[in-house]
Amino acid sequence: MRKIFLLALMFMFIFVNETCAKSIEEMLSKTKTAKNTDQIILVIDHSLSLWNKLEDGTWQMDFETRCNYGRNGFNLNRHEGDKTTPIGSFPILYAFGMGDNPGLEIEYKKITPNSYLSGEYATYNTWVESNSYIAGEHLIDYYPEYKYAMNFGFNINPVVVGKGAAIFLHCNSTYKDWTAGCLSVPEDIMLEI
């Protein structure tokens, strides 16, 4: 199974033209992330693009779309509640959603009425199934955002309580063009990713 990474950078340009794509490909190929994977989801400001490593070791952009991110921008040192999206390279841990697995090769978790992403000390930033209330995000309450989503592995090794939990790539909201720290794209793009 291939490892997929999400690489979030803070540059201030939006969509990539052919010349810019070549510069990004050269920059991308020199990262530590590029040495550990053959697929990268790259985020630069409001642009999210999917890159695949070719057999000759070069990188090719497969598609690009507009994405939303934290209301207060990007942050290297984010903390719980600051409404920023973390900057860095993060492995895709698993996908999840309210519907059936749309045919993914990576692990897929179906949200149930008992699914939480915990904000509690002992289980901070982990998926918990519980019949009783768990502090954090009750995942079934986030429709359409979590109709389909991916956990991109922020704050997992080690988990630091208060640094932030439940940072995902998910479907866009129907009522806002920002998130509380996640990344979001249209549902059809989420399914393509």
Side-chain angles (χ1 to χ4, degrees), residues 5-9 11 13 16 21 24-25 27-28 31 39-51 61 63-65 67 88 183:
F5 282 79
L6 187 140
L7 190 60
L9 305 173
F11 294 144
F13 52 88
V16 178
I24 291 173
E25 187 274 328
M27 180 272 307
L28 199 59
T31 65
Q39 191 170 52
I40 293 175
I41 300 166
L42 179 65
V43 176
I44 301 174
D45 196 39
H46 282 288
S47 171
L48 181 144
S49 53
L50 178 65
W51 293 77
M61 183 174 63
F63 71 84
E64 180 180 27
T65 190
C67 70
L183 295 166

Side-chain angles (χ1 to χ4, degrees), residues 27-182:
M27 180 272 307
L28 199 59
S29 68
K30 295 175 184 171
T31 65
K32 288 181 183 179
T33 301
K35 292 171 183 29
N36 292 314
T37 187
D38 58 2
Q39 191 170 52
I40 293 175
I41 300 166
L42 179 65
V43 176
I44 301 174
D45 196 39
H46 282 288
S47 171
L48 181 144
S49 53
L50 178 65
W51 293 77
N52 284 295
K53 188 184 288 185
L54 304 177
E55 287 185 18
D56 67 1
T58 61
W59 287 84
Q60 175 180 305
M61 183 174 63
D62 281 358
F63 71 84
E64 180 180 27
T65 190
R66 186 182 195 289
C67 70
N68 297 318
Y69 53 80
R71 183 177 200 159
N72 295 326
F74 291 91
N75 192 339
L76 274 171
N77 298 305
R78 80 168 315 278
H79 59 83
E80 192 77 41
D82 70 4
K83 291 187 174 36
T84 64
T85 297
I87 297 172
S89 177
F90 310 100
I92 301 298
L93 301 178
Y94 55 84
F96 65 95
M98 296 177 187
D100 291 330
N101 183 339
L104 302 174
E105 293 179 20
I106 65 173
E107 180 184 2
Y108 184 82
K109 297 181 180 192
K110 188 168 180 178
I111 294 173
T112 73
N114 299 325
S115 301
Y116 294 84
L117 207 296
S118 177
E120 295 189 355
Y121 188 83
T123 54
Y124 191 80
N125 201 25
T126 60
W127 185 288
V128 175
E129 291 289 328
S130 176
N131 291 327
S132 56
Y133 172 79
I134 299 287
E137 288 193 8
H138 188 214
L139 300 176
I140 205 159
D141 293 341
Y142 290 86
Y143 182 85
E145 292 89 340
Y146 297 168
K147 185 174 179 184
Y148 298 104
M150 295 166 73
N151 185 330
F152 63 83
F154 170 74
N155 192 21
I156 58 162
N157 191 17
V159 173
V160 177
V161 175
K163 187 171 184 176
I167 304 294
F168 306 131
L169 171 60
H170 60 70
C171 299
N172 283 341
S173 168
T174 55
Y175 63 93
K176 61 184 179 183
D177 63 357
W178 53 270
T179 72
C182 295

